[in-house]
Structure formats: C-alpha cells, structure tokens
Amino acid sequence: QVQLVESGGGLVQAGGSLRLSCAALGNILSINAMGWHRQAPGKQREMVAGITSGGSTIYADSAKGRFTISIDNTKNTVYLQMNRLKPEDTAVYYCNAVRVTVRGGDDYPEVWGQGSLVTVSS
C-alpha cells in the first residue's frame, strides 16, 4: 500500500509564498516521477508542475517563473515552492506519484494525495 500525504496549504495574501510538501509513504523501492496538480472551484483539474526522479521538470505556463518543484528521492518527498501568489492560484492542490514500485514487486501506475487547499486573498 502506498499513500501520499500532503502538507503546507493555507491562506496567504496575494504576493506571498507557500511551500507544499508531499511525502510518499509505504515500502517504496522507487518512484518514476511526482507532480502537482490543482483544481479550482468550477474548473477541471490541471497540471501545475512535474519532476522525474532524475530531476527533469515541467511547468504549466501559469507556474513558470513563480513556482519551483523539487524532489528528495531519499525521502520520497516532492515540494512545490510557490512565490508571488495570485488570487487565481486559489485551488485544491493534489500531488501524484507515477510508477511506484514497492518491495515485494507490486507496481502502482499512479497514486494521488488527498489534496491541500491553497487560498490566496486579494
């Protein structure tokens, strides 16, 4: 069993910063990639940023220059540093892990966290 546990969401004023963390828990051998997605009220879930275990990154245009994704493979944890936040960044942020291999040989194609609410006030 693999579980993703998120932390770091909250309320911040426009222009402020927040750092989200997501730890993958379980008897994990490897994770191919991790990422962050978000879903604003009334909108579809969208990708924010992704990172492979080797450190290659991808960002949504809305995140470029303001958000930074990083990964600590020793802790199976991914971070999202969000700077210069805007009211339109308000959303529930979800992390995911892709191609998770656990001891015993089981593979999980994709695992999702429970979501962390980020609210940016104007």
Side-chain angles (χ1 to χ4, degrees):
Q1 188 77 9
V2 177
Q3 183 182 10
L4 300 187
V5 179
E6 303 177 24
S7 60
L11 174 64
V12 64
Q13 286 190 331
S17 298
L18 279 176
R19 188 192 195 209
L20 302 180
S21 300
C22 173
L25 305 179
N27 221 357
I28 297 170
L29 279 176
S30 65
I31 300 174
N32 182 261
M34 299 186 77
W36 290 95
H37 297 65
R38 68 186 182 186
Q39 187 166 18
K43 295 188 177 181
Q44 290 190 342
R45 190 174 298 189
E46 61 179 1
M47 189 275 291
V48 177
I51 187 168
T52 67
S53 58
S56 297
T57 59
I58 186 171
Y59 293 93
D61 287 344
S62 59
K64 289 177 181 176
R66 298 188 300 127
F67 295 1
T68 302
I69 190 170
S70 59
I71 192 167
D72 185 337
N73 292 311
T74 65
K75 297 180 180 179
N76 293 322
T77 298
V78 65
Y79 306 93
L80 185 67
Q81 177 66 44
M82 303 185 291
N83 299 327
R84 303 199 309 277
L85 282 161
K86 305 174 182 179
E88 50 263 44
D89 294 318
T90 295
V92 177
Y93 284 70
Y94 298 90
C95 70
N96 73 328
V98 178
R99 287 183 56 191
V100 182
T101 301
V102 300
R103 290 179 177 82
D106 288 337
D107 287 337
Y108 294 81
E110 191 168 35
V111 183
W112 287 89
Q114 80 283 0
S116 184
L117 178 62
V118 171
T119 303
V120 184
S121 64
S122 57

